[in-house]
Amino acid sequence: MIKFTIVTLFREALEPYLNTSMMWKAKEKGLAEFEFVNLRDFGLGPHKSVDDTPYGGGDGMLLMCEPVFNAIESVKTKDPSAKVILPTPVGEIWNQEMARIFAKDAHYIILCPHYEGYDERILSIVDYKISLGKFVLTGGELPALVMIDSIVRLIPGVLGGETSAEIESFSNGDNLEYPQYTKPYDFRGMTVPDVLLSGNHGEVDKWREEHSK
């Protein structure tokens, strides 16, 4: 089973998606577990602060070390083998091959940063720095959901077909999945390629291979 512990200030942004469709199915079948840690519970002072102004000046606020370290260490106390993932622009670009590598029995702690960023020293307890691309979001919740979804759907038993995850886009490097069609045969003058109705599985396989390059 894969377990995800999500350290976040906004659990309510994550729960609806993780309780829907394939994520819900994986949880119900005991294939994946989703746990939340409220970073605010580890905040400092009477206001439970988790952020402060950056040294050297500048706009915005940074996540402080102490609340983040304490939150992650509270999880690692129970499971020292858990690996920490941080969505960050400086990370390795996420792809399908990485999702396959992560889709194994393991416990991942995903830290969802917010504000202007995080104290650089937080990286000392991060195992995987992951980026979704060259753009900036307001927090780490969306990247967390993207990574979780791409991992969980690869767990055997989550998707319907036995080969569903084997023949889709990016299943073999940069390949794209071949075009697919369903009824009706003719829709507003756009017809299904005749080879797909030929019954010749060899020709169908050849056509699909050619159109997936």
Side-chain angles (χ1 to χ4, degrees), residues 15-197:
E15 284 187 301
Y17 191 85
L18 295 177
N19 285 322
T20 304
S21 187
M22 293 300 169
M23 302 303 104
W24 175 84
K25 178 181 176 181
K27 183 171 64 173
E28 287 296 298
K29 295 179 74 171
L31 300 173
E33 179 182 350
F34 309 117
E35 174 185 67
F36 299 93
V37 171
N38 187 348
L39 184 59
R40 189 73 63 188
D41 291 342
F42 299 87
L44 308 179
H47 300 294
K48 294 289 185 180
S49 299
V50 298
D51 62 315
D52 209 333
T53 54
Y55 282 117
D59 293 332
M61 307 284 279
L62 299 179
L63 285 181
M64 295 187 290
C65 287
E66 191 170 348
V68 171
F69 272 66
N70 289 341
I72 290 175
E73 287 169 356
S74 74
V75 181
K76 288 228 173 193
T77 297
K78 302 173 186 175
D79 183 5
S81 68
K83 300 297 184 182
V84 180
I85 300 172
L86 175 68
T88 171
V90 303
E92 184 177 359
I93 302 295
W94 188 249
N95 58 47
Q96 187 71 4
E97 180 57 31
M98 292 173 67
R100 289 187 182 281
I101 293 171
F102 278 66
K104 57 188 177 183
D105 291 348
H107 182 184
Y108 301 112
I109 303 170
I110 303 181
L111 171 63
C112 298
H114 259 275
Y115 310 113
E116 179 63 22
Y118 48 83
D119 188 303
E120 189 74 7
R121 291 168 289 187
I122 289 172
L123 293 179
S124 67
I125 55 170
V126 170
D127 297 290
Y128 304 104
K129 300 185 287 291
I130 302 295
S131 171
L132 296 188
K134 295 181 179 181
F135 55 89
V136 179
L137 298 171
T138 56
E141 283 73 24
L142 282 175
L145 288 177
V146 168
M147 286 186 282
I148 290 171
D149 185 295
S150 63
I151 292 169
V152 169
R153 64 189 302 282
L154 294 176
I155 302 172
V158 174
L159 297 182
E162 293 182 6
T163 61
S164 294
E166 296 178 8
I167 58 176
E168 61 191 2
S169 297
F170 312 121
S171 58
N172 182 23
D174 293 328
N175 71 294
L176 295 176
E177 189 173 5
Y178 49 77
Q180 300 193 76
Y181 301 84
T182 187
K183 296 177 176 130
Y185 167 74
D186 188 328
F187 179 73
R188 298 182 180 179
M190 296 178 284
T191 59
V192 177
D194 289 335
V195 65
L196 300 180
L197 300 123

